[in-house]
């Protein structure tokens, strides 16, 4: 008689994915409404079933082992199929329309995979998306032209859910001569969005406090324009790691620390729509790797 294959525990897989997404199994336990010891026990069970370590500590953060990375790719698909199956069998197909806006940094870094997966799993929900800057998105929400918007939050705003704080970083091309500008005392060339822009304001305020002269040498309406100017070596900018091109680098030693900026999910109303609630949950989970931990 053939041996029956062992089945992976779906609850343990869910805890495994939640722990990696949150960067901490303690945070995952809070999200899953379980104790930290219970979630740790589920991870240990998974490692026993797989016969190998799945996670290792690197400083204060969690890091997947090679086997953990392999399992993660399967785990997400298994959980997605499990949830889709249950909804279909129970007759819980989601319907309706969701109009979502996103700040440019998240357009490439977070949203394509989320919206694509959501659209495939819930084809009866009509999705429309808009990429823009903060002020136009907030205006569209106020006019009820959008249902949800993922954006930067400089301060507490009514109707928004703060997901977490994201570190601001100085970004430049490796060929940009930052040391030379600082040594010569020349105004530091800045690349930035057109004003008003919260990151532009944070950059100039930080440099002013440090007594470092500056001048804006390039402005753009789009994030792609910012990245292109940096790759051309025109200057330095202040943003987050979200959507950071591999061709650019973070400067972390010679310029003042600029602090943090909130990632927020805003809604035009607080109605109890299950499709919006699910999409809001998925977006919140996807944003967790970018926040301070």
């Amino acid at each position: 008689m053939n041996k029956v294959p062992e089945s992976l525990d779906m609850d343990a897989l869910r805890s495994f994915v939640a722990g990696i997404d949150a960067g901490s199994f303690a945070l995952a336990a809070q999200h899953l409404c379980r104790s930290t010891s219970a979630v740790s026990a589920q991870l240990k069970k998974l490692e026993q079933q797989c016969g190998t370590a799945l996670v290792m500590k690197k400083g204060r953060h969690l890091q997947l082992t090679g086997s953990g990375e392999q399992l993660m790719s399967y785990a997400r698909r298994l959980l997605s199929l499990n949830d889709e199956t249950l909804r279909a069998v129970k007759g819980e197909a989601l319907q309706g329309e969701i109009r979502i806006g996103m700040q440019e940094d998240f357009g490439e870094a977070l949203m394509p995979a989320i919206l694509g997966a959501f659209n495939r799993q819930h084809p009866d929900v009509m999705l429309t998306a808009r990429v823009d800057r903060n002020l136009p998105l907030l205006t569209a929400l106020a006019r009820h032209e959008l249902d949800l918007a993922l954006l930067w939050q400089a301060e507490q705003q009514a109707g928004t859910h703060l997901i977490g704080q994201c570190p601001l970083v100085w970004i430049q091309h490796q060929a940009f001569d930052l040391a030379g500008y600082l040594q010569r005392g020349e105004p530091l060339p800045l690349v930035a969005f057109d004003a008003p822009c919260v990151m532009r304001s944070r950059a100039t305020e930080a440099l002013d406090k440090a007594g470092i002269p500056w001048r804006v040498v390039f402005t753009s309406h789009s994030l792609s324009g910012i990245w292109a100017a940096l790759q051309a070596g025109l200057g330095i900018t202040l943003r987050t790691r979200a959507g950071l091109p591999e061709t650019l680098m973070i400067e972390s030693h010679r310029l003042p620390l600029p602090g943090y900026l909130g990632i927020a999910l805003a809604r035009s109303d607080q109605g109890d729509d299950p499709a919006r609630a699910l999409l809001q949950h998925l977006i919140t989970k996807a944003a967790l790797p970018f926040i301070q931990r």
Side-chain angles (χ1 to χ4, degrees):
M1 179 181 295
N2 292 331
K3 183 180 179 181
V4 178
E6 188 173 8
S7 298
L8 291 171
D9 186 308
M10 298 301 294
D11 286 340
L13 281 177
R14 199 175 300 277
S15 295
F16 170 62
V17 172
I20 297 302
D21 285 344
S24 161
F25 284 103
L27 290 175
Q30 296 176 18
H31 173 72
L32 297 169
C33 299
R34 300 190 176 197
S35 67
T36 303
S37 59
V39 171
S40 298
Q42 288 180 321
L43 174 63
K44 187 174 295 184
K45 178 180 179 180
L46 269 183
E47 290 182 326
Q48 290 173 347
Q49 287 184 313
C50 296
T52 184
L54 301 173
V55 176
M56 59 183 177
K57 273 278 193 180
K58 188 173 183 181
R60 297 191 307 168
H61 302 288
L62 295 175
Q63 182 172 307
L64 291 170
T65 63
S67 297
E69 288 183 346
Q70 188 174 23
L71 177 62
M72 180 63 74
S73 66
Y74 286 105
R76 294 191 188 280
R77 284 182 280 164
L78 285 168
L79 291 171
S80 177
L81 184 58
N82 175 81
D83 297 346
E84 182 181 351
T85 300
L86 285 176
R87 284 191 294 268
V89 171
K90 292 180 178 180
E92 296 177 355
L94 298 179
Q95 296 180 338
E97 178 185 6
I98 304 177
R99 302 161 302 172
I100 183 169
M102 63 205 80
Q103 215 280 345
E104 268 197 284
D105 299 73
F106 308 117
E108 295 183 8
L110 293 181
M111 301 309 296
I114 298 172
L115 295 184
F118 187 91
N119 190 52
R120 289 190 297 271
Q121 294 175 22
H122 309 286
D124 293 331
V125 178
M126 185 169 68
L127 287 175
T128 56
R130 168 181 173 180
V131 175
D132 214 325
R133 293 174 63 183
N134 265 33
L135 185 58
L137 292 177
L138 289 169
T139 301
L141 281 166
R143 294 174 177 172
H144 296 279
E145 297 169 356
L146 291 175
D147 302 305
L148 297 172
L150 185 66
L151 39 77
W152 297 117
Q153 179 174 288
E155 55 189 28
Q156 187 61 43
Q157 296 162 331
T160 62
H161 165 66
L162 181 64
I163 297 174
Q165 297 290 330
C166 189
L168 289 168
V169 293
W170 297 99
I171 299 172
Q172 65 174 74
H173 191 272
Q174 62 180 359
F176 177 68
D177 186 20
L178 173 62
Y181 279 99
L182 295 176
Q183 288 172 3
R184 294 188 297 269
E186 297 178 8
L188 192 65
L190 293 182
V191 174
F193 274 131
D194 295 325
C197 170
V198 63
M199 295 188 190
R200 175 175 173 155
S201 298
R202 290 285 188 89
T204 57
E205 289 170 5
L207 294 174
D208 285 341
K209 288 181 180 179
I212 299 174
W214 55 269
R215 65 188 181 99
V216 176
V217 297
F218 182 91
T219 59
S220 174
H221 293 290
S222 69
L223 185 58
S224 60
I226 297 292
W227 297 144
L230 294 178
Q231 288 165 349
L234 298 185
I236 192 167
T237 196
L238 181 70
R239 300 206 67 78
T240 72
R241 290 179 173 84
L244 177 65
E246 294 181 358
T247 53
L248 299 177
M249 59 179 284
I250 292 172
E251 161 57 43
S252 58
H253 303 296
R254 290 171 288 193
L255 292 177
L257 295 176
Y260 299 85
L261 193 60
I263 301 178
L265 190 62
R267 298 177 58 174
S268 60
D269 63 63
Q270 300 302 313
D272 187 22
D273 179 85
R276 289 187 205 175
L278 176 59
L279 185 56
Q280 181 174 341
H281 171 70
L282 293 175
I283 293 171
T284 300
K285 284 179 61 179
L288 288 177
F290 294 97
I291 69 174
Q292 175 193 15
R293 286 196 285 266

